Amino acid sequence: MPGPTFASLAEAREAVAAVVGCESEPTARPIVNPDLAGFTAEYAVCGSRVQIEWFSSSDARADAAQVYMDTSQPLAIVEGENWIVADLSLALEENWSGKDLDKVAQEIGGTYTVLNGFKQA
């Protein structure tokens, strides 16, 4: 999996914020919690509809990524070695978040994937 490995959730969020801008402190709670499926991750948000997930291992990240791949909801995600950034705007039936995850993938690395008809406005 391309992209950097981050040492912490804070480091991953800082890298994402440097590309697409996030408030200095998260103002919303995590949106989707893969802990319910038995995965362990730490979560932060960027804006109100983009979730950053940090995993202690690439195996845990791969398991969580599969949850996203199996969904029928429109999503955009960026995957790195031990992190995922997911734009859940359209899955929440809201307008696009305005956060360009393709740019995140290009600037900090990672694999950008659009699922189930996700479209940036």
Side-chain angles (χ1 to χ4, degrees):
M1 179 66 46
T5 299
F6 294 112
S8 67
L9 175 63
E11 187 178 293
R13 188 175 187 281
E14 184 177 302
V16 172
V19 177
V20 295
C22 300
E23 58 285 330
S24 60
E25 292 294 324
T27 58
R29 301 184 87 165
I31 304 154
V32 173
N33 189 342
D35 283 341
L36 299 176
F39 307 128
T40 54
E42 293 181 37
Y43 308 91
V45 293
C46 177
S48 62
R49 299 179 294 276
V50 173
Q51 181 163 285
I52 302 162
E53 303 170 9
W54 179 83
F55 303 88
S56 59
S57 74
S58 59
D59 289 341
R61 190 256 334 133
D63 289 343
Q66 191 60 51
V67 171
Y68 286 123
M69 296 299 176
D70 291 344
T71 186
S72 61
Q73 298 294 319
L75 303 169
I77 64 171
V78 179
E79 294 179 73
E81 185 67 32
N82 67 338
W83 53 274
I84 295 174
V85 180
D87 188 327
L88 302 159
S89 302
L90 301 181
L92 297 170
E93 298 182 358
E94 297 182 15
N95 293 328
W96 175 54
S97 70
K99 306 294 185 195
D100 187 346
L101 296 194
D102 187 31
K103 185 175 180 182
V104 169
Q106 291 173 26
E107 292 197 19
I108 65 173
T111 302
Y112 175 68
T113 306
V114 173
L115 303 167
N116 306 312
F118 182 92
K119 293 188 186 332
Q120 298 180 152

